[in-house]
Amino acid sequence: MNLNTFDPEIANAIINELNRQRSGLEMIPSENFVSEAVLEALGSIMTNKYSEGFPGRRYYGGNEFTDQVETLAIERAKTIFRCDHANVQPLSGSPMNQAVYLAFLKPGDTILGMDLSHGGHLTHGAPVSHMGKLFNFVRYKTHPENLGKIDFDELTRIAKETKPKIVLCGYTSYPRDYDYADFKKVADEVGAITMADVAHIGGLIAGGAMRNPFDYGFDIVTTTTHKTLRGPRGGIILSKGKPGNPFKEPEMTKENIPTILDRSVFPGLQGGPHMNNIAAIAVALKEAMQPEFKVYAHQVIANAKVLANELIKQGMKLVTDGTDNHMMVANTIASFGIDGTSAEKTLEHAGITVNKQVIPDDPLPPYKPSGIRIGTPALTTRGMKEDEMRTIAGWIVEAIKNHDKPEVLENIHAQVKNMTAKFPLYPDL
Ligand SMILES: *Cc1c(COP(=O)(O)O)cnc(C)c1O
């Protein structure tokens, strides 16, 4: 029996969500649209199979074809990110980072990561997260007077003082690229493992549009698969070095990093991998190896730069004054006297989806912060380019300035629908 007949409530919600995605401007930087090939693999019978273990070393029989799928995903990830080892089993970005921390740290050990209001992620030791309670996170920040670049003097001082076991770089709301060589230098001085969480920019690195931490000697790179990488939800842990026998406890040495990581994911943190998801990740990675993906990755950044410049021209103050990647953080309070939560609601009314966002050292609370975060990956996947970005920047500012005038918001919404109709999404669904 198909979904429509058996469970019309769920079927209808899915259709309504499809229409919402089709008719609105999706500008949350962590979102994207997967291909129909990815959807097909994701909805496949691979979901029925238990495959605890790794290709060729499973705890269950019948894994001939799941082995093929996982091996292809691993090999493609290694090729794309130019490294020796990939674990494609983490169920999403959070367990992926947890698996790395738990692999190398004991409770109370220190990690140096980015301050949350300056761009760090929840999994980088937010006090409300289990990881934040379990480990001692110390933080670096951006420099307010240096276009929001990392304050490396302070970072070096903190590292020398606290001797972290992991130096973590990576962000969820930081519009610049990192100087990985500087991080590596500090980490070497204090004998720490270098970890880059490129969850947001994995696709931009895959497409050759941003720096690859492995080119700067990093030990470990983690990425989600569903943000700029444009796959299903998931996480990949990448490292240098060849893995040994995952069934034997290895010594804690740098050579054993791949084996330690594999064992940390399974059996350390997870049981059976989601094989339908891994099949879909493999498809997304094959897409990321095509020449079109390079074009997409560069266009994501070109679109973000145009959008940022237009917003600035129209009076929007952006944290870091512009962008090097796919996102920007707008200080809506300083620009137009409206907080991020109200700006998010206003834009939703106008058919534009963004999210509220804390700004560095935000004086306002996280549920009503000073700004919003805006990104271009999903619209770029739909085929939008610089011209559309200019128009959209105008709508964003017009909507925020007229947040108390529903007729203006309705009018923008109508224009948004006209524009999105010209960029069909999932025409065959
Ligand atoms: C999104 C993100 C994650 C976590 O991803 P989930 O799949 O939402 O758990 C981890 N790190 C960074 C930097 C992120 O932006």
Side-chain angles (χ1 to χ4, degrees), residues 48-67:
N48 298 334
K49 188 71 196 109
Y50 247 110
S51 324
E52 282 180 2
F54 296 96
R57 299 170 189 261
R58 305 283 190 191
Y59 283 94
Y60 290 80
N63 273 300
E64 182 185 349
F65 305 110
T66 51
D67 274 5

Side-chain angles (χ1 to χ4, degrees), residues 30 91-97 119-121 123-124 170-172 197-200 222 224 226-227 233-234 373:
S30 46
L91 303 178
S92 204
S94 299
M96 138 194 114
N97 284 344
H121 186 255
T123 55
H124 301 171
Y171 49 76
T172 195
D197 171 3
V198 300
H200 259 265
T222 60
T224 64
H226 48 281
K227 297 180 184 175
R233 316 194 80 78
R373 194 178 61 151

Side-chain angles (χ1 to χ4, degrees), residues 126-140:
V128 292
S129 74
H130 290 309
M131 296 299 119
K133 290 173 188 149
L134 200 53
F135 303 120
N136 174 37
F137 281 84
V138 291
R139 317 199 173 282
Y140 54 87

Side-chain angles (χ1 to χ4, degrees), residues 158-419:
I158 297 172
K160 286 188 174 158
E161 233 169 70
T162 61
K163 298 268 182 311
K165 289 214 171 136
I166 295 179
V167 167
L168 166 65
C169 53
Y171 49 76
T172 195
S173 60
Y174 179 61
R176 297 288 173 194
D177 203 357
Y178 273 153
D179 291 319
Y180 294 106
D182 290 342
F183 281 96
K184 169 77 175 148
K185 192 166 151 260
V186 175
D188 284 351
E189 277 177 37
V190 299
I193 291 171
T194 39
M195 168 182 179
D197 171 3
V198 300
H200 259 265
I201 55 171
L204 305 179
I205 294 171
M210 288 187 82
R211 295 175 193 135
N212 182 341
F214 284 123
D215 293 342
Y216 301 86
F218 265 57
D219 297 310
I220 299 166
V221 175
T222 60
T223 182
T224 64
T225 48
H226 48 281
K227 297 180 184 175
T228 51
L229 199 48
R230 212 162 65 183
R233 316 194 80 78
I236 303 180
I237 304 173
L238 303 147
S239 63
K240 291 187 293 186
K242 301 276 175 216
N245 182 355
F247 295 159
K248 220 175 119 233
E249 172 107 50
E251 266 181 74
M252 271 287 168
T253 61
K254 277 215 169 176
E255 294 73 68
N256 287 334
I257 282 179
T259 320
I260 295 167
L261 286 171
D262 273 354
R263 289 173 54 89
S264 185
V265 174
F266 174 84
L269 190 65
Q270 297 183 174
H274 296 184
M275 271 303 163
N276 58 321
N277 215 61
I278 292 176
I281 287 172
V283 175
L285 292 173
K286 182 164 182 179
E287 289 172 0
M289 295 164 93
Q290 309 306 312
E292 297 86 341
F293 197 85
K294 277 203 169 58
V295 178
Y296 148 80
H298 286 88
Q299 188 66 47
V300 165
I301 297 180
N303 281 351
K305 283 186 187 289
V306 169
L307 186 69
N309 285 340
E310 273 318 295
L311 287 171
I312 290 170
K313 264 196 228 157
Q314 302 193 32
M316 188 76 95
K317 292 196 170 54
L318 298 185
V319 170
T320 76
D321 254 344
T323 180
D324 295 329
N325 57 29
H326 61 298
M327 72 165 101
M328 58 218 70
V329 178
N331 185 334
T332 49
I333 283 275
S335 317
F336 303 110
I338 164 172
D339 67 80
T341 305
S342 311
E344 177 192 299
K345 278 211 192 87
T346 298
L347 289 172
E348 187 160 1
H349 199 154
I352 302 170
T353 316
V354 302
N355 67 279
K356 57 180 156 298
Q357 178 64 48
V358 292
I359 61 165
D361 300 319
D362 203 327
L364 297 183
Y367 57 86
K368 212 181 191 358
S370 297
I372 52 174
R373 194 178 61 151
I374 313 173
T376 55
L379 296 190
T380 307
T381 294
R382 280 189 88 155
M384 294 188 187
K385 298 216 165 73
E386 286 86 344
D387 279 347
E388 284 76 30
M389 295 304 126
R390 286 188 198 96
T391 310
I392 292 167
W395 289 338
I396 290 176
V397 171
E398 193 190 344
I400 290 181
K401 279 185 177 165
N402 294 286
H403 58 96
D404 50 355
K405 299 201 186 78
E407 65 290 354
V408 175
L409 304 181
E410 288 304 328
N411 182 288
I412 295 172
H413 201 164
Q415 296 182 68
V416 163
K417 282 188 181 149
N418 271 338
M419 179 186 274

